[in-house]
Amino acid sequence: MIAETVCSAVSAAGLGIAVVTAYRKRFLAAARIAAYSLVPVGLVMTGVVGWLADTAFSPTAWAGFGVLGAAWLLFAGTRAIERRRGGTRAERKAARGGQSGAAVAPTASAPSLGAGSPPAARPAAAPRAGSGEDFSDIEAILKKHGI
């Protein structure tokens, strides 16, 4: 009962402001204010306000919101963990089962990517005779920027 009265008062005040705004020749703003001020009365007439008032003071409804929140947390948590692991359980199982250790093209007779030999060790970098040329470019850039 109080909620309906408050909504009606808010709507009446909004319509009054809309009339004053229209009197000042701001018709677009007045129409927008009137639209906003009619929303509370519409909510009262449809019964939404009564339903919200009954829900707000119902311990069962609050327990239901708590259960919905817990369900949402479970969904979000499991989704976050699933993303970190890299897919669903079925996807991981299929990836393990389908991978035989070597990548083979469909029509190839041998694996296209073998284990191969490890890369040859690089010899120790010996100072080159022309190493001054490498630094000349760097020095020119630094001089250009005043460094």
Side-chain angles (χ1 to χ4, degrees), residues 9-130:
V10 167
S11 291
L15 289 174
I17 293 170
V19 168
V20 171
T21 305
Y23 180 75
R24 294 180 181 170
K25 307 280 190 223
R26 297 181 61 209
F27 299 111
L28 187 62
R32 191 174 298 124
I33 293 169
Y36 280 122
S37 66
L38 291 174
V39 169
V41 169
L43 291 174
V44 167
M45 293 174 78
T46 57
V48 172
V49 173
W51 176 79
L52 284 176
D54 291 340
T55 303
F57 299 113
S58 170
T60 306
W62 284 107
F65 285 126
V67 169
L68 287 174
W72 181 83
L73 284 174
L74 285 172
F75 280 126
T78 56
R79 183 67 181 141
I81 291 169
E82 188 175 80
R83 273 193 229 135
R84 282 195 174 179
R85 287 187 180 171
T88 63
R89 183 177 176 188
E91 290 170 350
R92 287 192 307 274
K93 187 175 180 182
R96 271 185 301 206
Q99 190 176 11
S100 62
V104 178
T107 59
S109 59
S112 59
L113 297 175
S117 61
R122 286 187 164 179
R128 296 185 209 163

